[in-house]
Amino acid sequence: MVRAIVGANWGDEGKGKITDMLAEESDIIIRFQGGSNAGHTIINNYGKFALHLLPSGVFYGHTTSIIGNGVALNIPYLLEEIKALEEKGVPTPKILVSDRAQILMPYHMLLDACEEARLAGKSFGSTKSGIAPFYSDKYAKIGFQVSELFGCPDALKEKVENVCTLKNVMLTNLYHQPALKPEEIYGMLMEYKEMVAPYVCDVSSYLHQALQEGKNILLEGQLGSLKDPDHGIYPMVTSSSTLAAYGAIGAGIPPYEIKNITTVVKAYSSAVGAGAFVSEIFGGEAQELRDRGGDGGEYGATTGRPRRVGWFDAVASRYGCRVQGATEVALTVLDVLGYLDEIPVCVGYEFDGKIMKDFPVTSMLEYCKPVYKKLPGWKCDIRGIRNYEELPENCKSYIDEIERELGVPVTMVSNGPGRSEIIKRGPLI
């Protein structure tokens, strides 16, 4: 069976923990898109980790972790992550890298940083990890695929010359940066070849065989529905599809093999980067939620910058579940809200004097105001509870309200950052 684990919102929903938990009963875990621009935080017996490229199932000895062809592959970063695990006592994971994955180059990060600086106050809030320039090159057909490292050297050298010619026009004339030197870029690619060679695999063929053998496979997505370039808050989105449907493409499996889409939803809202965020809150109210939130405060796993926070947005989350094709929901960080007397839930958007229940396009979203319904809080710490029936009544009512708004069964409730801090639940709907 193939299960996809994806986010319903802006990212930061807690997908890493859910993947880490479900990986125990899986054989293969695949990162199918994105790059090192966002992190999945994992807390387990080995310690606390922020994974960026590695799939969140690398802590189990029986699993194979795969970097799919849809990923922006920063090769030195990948090896640094593997080394960091080993230094903390984690057994060396079995890693495979698709021969069709494309390589993120240092000049992608340079171009990313230069463009953000040029845009200044109108920037996209990029992490400057090179993601947009990388995917631009991929679709302009001037990226470097891993397989090319092992092909004809003359063909690769010719391509490097062409790429440097194109990049240098922008680097020298627009950004006033030193020109790229083809011989240095080719030498770097040869270094990358040595680094990645032990991991390279025909992943599509490997997965075809695994499916025939009945292996359990997890597809792990990065970010969430609202950062998808087609269905998100464009243009303040990422540069690869964050939807479960893309998991088939980014891993190299038939789409009909995906039987379960576990969509992770946060019990409140948070986001890193710019873009419309209707239920966002500010000031002291926001700072208290930010400080109490996540697994040590709502701060980016990659950048450390404060996340924007807000109340649960039923309009955005329902839409996020819909475009993902959610078959079930994992509700996370519920324990954070135990300090509140009452909890606002955004159940609609006001636009031009009318109440909307459907998530609109970005040009409308900028002018929407939240419509709140307030629910009573439970005013206690729920960490340590493992049985759903033992939760306070107001807490269960909050979960029921979210499930009704989403229209998708909430089958898992996370009430703490640890791997075992999860409550399995029968759906209300």
Side-chain angles (χ1 to χ4, degrees), residues 10 225-228 231-237 274-276 359 362 365:
W10 298 264
S225 304
L226 305 182
K227 290 293 185 178
D228 183 78
H231 297 281
I233 52 172
Y234 186 87
M236 301 301 184
V237 293
F359 192 75
T362 310
L365 197 63

Side-chain angles (χ1 to χ4, degrees), residues 16-24 42 44 56 59-60 419:
K17 171 186 171 171
I18 303 302
T19 306
D20 177 51
M21 181 191 73
L22 294 177
E24 187 173 11
I42 307 289
N44 56 30
S56 298
F59 300 99
Y60 295 98
R419 177 186 283 173

Side-chain angles (χ1 to χ4, degrees), residues 37-229:
N37 54 317
H40 289 172
T41 302
I42 307 289
I43 297 175
N44 56 30
N45 296 337
Y46 295 105
K48 181 177 178 179
F49 302 84
L51 300 181
H52 298 85
L53 276 175
L54 287 173
S56 298
V58 290
F59 300 99
Y60 295 98
H62 68 277
T63 61
T64 298
S65 294
I66 292 177
I67 306 296
N69 55 271
V71 171
L73 176 61
N74 184 328
I75 292 175
Y77 201 108
L78 175 65
L79 269 66
E80 286 174 14
E81 281 205 332
I82 295 171
K83 182 180 178 182
L85 291 184
E86 294 171 341
E87 288 176 348
K88 285 194 174 183
V90 179
T92 302
K94 181 180 179 183
I95 307 290
L96 298 178
V97 173
S98 173
D99 55 4
R100 295 180 182 271
Q102 296 215 5
I103 303 165
L104 189 141
M105 300 294 290
Y107 57 74
H108 290 136
M109 292 182 275
L110 174 61
L111 288 164
D112 198 355
C114 288
E115 181 62 6
E116 286 289 286
R118 186 185 74 85
L119 291 171
K122 295 183 179 180
S123 69
F124 293 102
S126 167
T127 61
K128 303 179 183 65
S129 302
I131 302 303
F134 164 87
Y135 282 107
S136 296
D137 280 6
K138 178 175 180 176
Y139 293 110
K141 296 177 284 292
I142 55 171
F144 294 102
Q145 197 174 82
V146 167
S147 62
E148 293 178 85
L149 301 180
F150 302 88
C152 173
D154 290 339
L156 183 59
K157 288 178 181 178
E158 183 179 353
K159 184 172 181 178
V160 168
E161 291 274 358
N162 177 52
V163 169
C164 287
T165 298
L166 291 169
K167 295 301 175 190
N168 285 340
V169 171
M170 185 176 291
L171 282 168
T172 60
N173 293 291
L174 179 60
Y175 298 129
H176 308 295
Q177 296 290 322
L180 301 176
K181 297 178 181 179
E183 62 275 14
E184 291 182 0
I185 299 300
Y186 181 79
M188 183 182 299
L189 289 171
M190 290 300 97
E191 291 176 12
Y192 288 178
K193 176 182 177 180
E194 288 188 22
M195 291 179 188
V196 79
Y199 308 101
V200 177
C201 171
D202 181 347
V203 162
S204 180
S205 177
Y206 178 87
L207 293 175
H208 176 73
Q209 183 64 34
L211 288 167
Q212 289 187 324
E213 294 172 359
K215 302 289 189 184
N216 285 327
I217 298 172
L218 284 182
L219 300 173
E220 181 183 20
Q222 181 207 59
L223 296 169
S225 304
L226 305 182
K227 290 293 185 178
D228 183 78

Side-chain angles (χ1 to χ4, degrees), residues 206-316:
Y206 178 87
L207 293 175
H208 176 73
Q209 183 64 34
L211 288 167
Q212 289 187 324
E213 294 172 359
K215 302 289 189 184
N216 285 327
I217 298 172
L218 284 182
L219 300 173
E220 181 183 20
Q222 181 207 59
L223 296 169
S225 304
L226 305 182
K227 290 293 185 178
D228 183 78
D230 288 288
H231 297 281
I233 52 172
Y234 186 87
M236 301 301 184
V237 293
T238 194
S239 302
S240 62
S241 178
T242 60
L243 303 186
Y246 186 73
I249 299 168
I253 61 173
Y256 55 74
E257 294 288 358
I258 303 175
K259 306 298 186 186
N260 191 317
I261 300 174
T262 303
T263 304
V264 186
V265 177
K266 216 164 187 173
Y268 55 92
S269 298
S270 71
V272 169
F277 185 176
V278 176
S279 69
E280 185 174 9
I281 58 177
F282 304 91
E285 182 181 43
Q287 192 58 46
E288 183 167 17
L289 179 58
R290 184 178 297 113
D291 288 342
R292 290 176 176 270
D295 51 34
E298 287 290 352
Y299 298 90
T302 299
T303 63
R305 61 184 171 182
R307 293 185 181 125
R308 302 158 67 193
V309 294
W311 304 123
F312 180 79
D313 188 331
V315 179

